[in-house]
Amino acid sequence: QGRLGRLHATSRFCRAGRKAVRRALMDSAHAMEGEPPAERIADAVSRISQTLGPVPKVCIVGGTSFKDPGSEPLVRILAEDLSKRLGDSACLVTCGMAGVQQTFADACSSGAKLHHLLPTGESSDFSAGVDVQAGQSLEETKQVFGLLGDVYVTVEGGPGVAAEARAACARGARIVPLMRTGGASSGMFDFPPEALQKPPDWPEEQWRALGEKAVLA
């Protein structure tokens, strides 16, 4: 009887286990039916690129706060000049972050083609520009950002800015480092050394101005 009792208990346990697993599988299937499949990074890049249109994408990269007192006014001057000169012939892109990117966005002219790339469901709350979403997390969004631009302008920055510059440089995007602002943009944090070399087609004086604080913006 003791053996039969144990067999009966084991049988009940197995039946209960099977039912629990089946129920869990059904719940999981229902949950998956209600959620759209995760978008691949490459597909997100393609989608956002189409949304922004067939124009060059100029991405602004920088820290969430300014370390050098001269950097903030420099970013404002750069934003005013770029947005007015480029107009709708290029798209200016940020990740909707405080510091360099917000300062840049705030200073852009009203006619600028300005967009902010953010994780799904988030907004920048910036006073200018249009929010677009890609990625389920900031990490995924930054991956898309690193594959989206044709040109990346870097200001100050730490390891994160250096990593974005490395990713962009590795696929052949043009990097414009404002070396005079210091931090990653001056070569720290394993910033790609090739991005600090003057491109062959750039005038020497123009390239040198990116690194000399004495040169007026």
Side-chain angles (χ1 to χ4, degrees):
Q1 185 174 358
R3 185 168 179 271
L4 288 174
R6 286 194 299 272
L7 288 172
H8 182 64
T10 301
S11 178
R12 281 195 306 165
F13 174 78
C14 289
R15 284 199 302 271
R18 284 197 302 271
K19 289 180 179 180
V21 170
R22 286 174 183 167
R23 181 169 294 145
L25 288 172
M26 290 175 62
D27 290 344
S28 176
H30 290 156
M32 291 177 67
E33 287 174 2
E35 297 178 1
E39 185 177 34
R40 294 188 309 165
I41 297 299
D43 292 338
V45 173
S46 178
R47 174 176 60 81
I48 295 298
S49 184
Q50 291 179 12
T51 298
L52 302 187
V55 293
K57 283 76 174 172
V58 180
C59 297
I60 310 303
V61 189
T64 55
S65 62
F66 289 99
K67 306 301 182 185
D68 188 307
S71 296
E72 184 172 355
L74 182 66
V75 168
R76 293 188 182 280
I77 293 171
L78 178 67
E80 292 172 6
D81 185 70
L82 275 181
S83 58
K84 288 177 181 177
R85 290 178 181 272
L86 295 178
D88 60 0
S89 66
C91 187
L92 303 170
V93 188
T94 82
C95 277
M97 305 290 283
V100 169
Q101 294 183 344
Q102 185 168 16
T103 299
F104 183 93
D106 288 346
C108 281
S109 66
S110 58
K113 191 174 176 67
L114 176 66
H115 286 78
H116 312 300
L117 185 65
L118 299 127
T120 301
E122 295 190 15
S123 60
S124 67
D125 296 324
F126 283 5
S127 59
V130 177
D131 290 349
V132 290
Q133 285 80 28
Q136 298 300 312
S137 65
L138 181 59
E139 181 181 353
E140 289 185 356
T141 300
K142 286 192 172 185
Q143 288 183 50
V144 175
F145 186 72
L147 294 169
L148 182 67
D150 299 289
V151 176
Y152 289 78
V153 180
T154 70
V155 182
E156 295 189 347
V161 169
E164 289 181 274
R166 287 196 300 273
C169 196
R171 64 178 182 81
R174 178 63 63 86
I175 311 296
V176 181
L178 301 191
M179 296 173 280
R180 60 190 285 182
T181 62
S185 297
S186 67
M188 297 174 66
F189 307 108
D190 200 23
F191 193 86
E194 58 269 38
L196 299 173
Q197 303 299 314
K198 184 185 79 66
D201 55 336
W202 278 46
E204 181 67 37
E205 183 180 354
Q206 189 180 64
W207 182 257
R208 190 168 59 246
L210 298 178
E212 296 180 358
K213 288 183 177 292
V215 177
L216 296 176

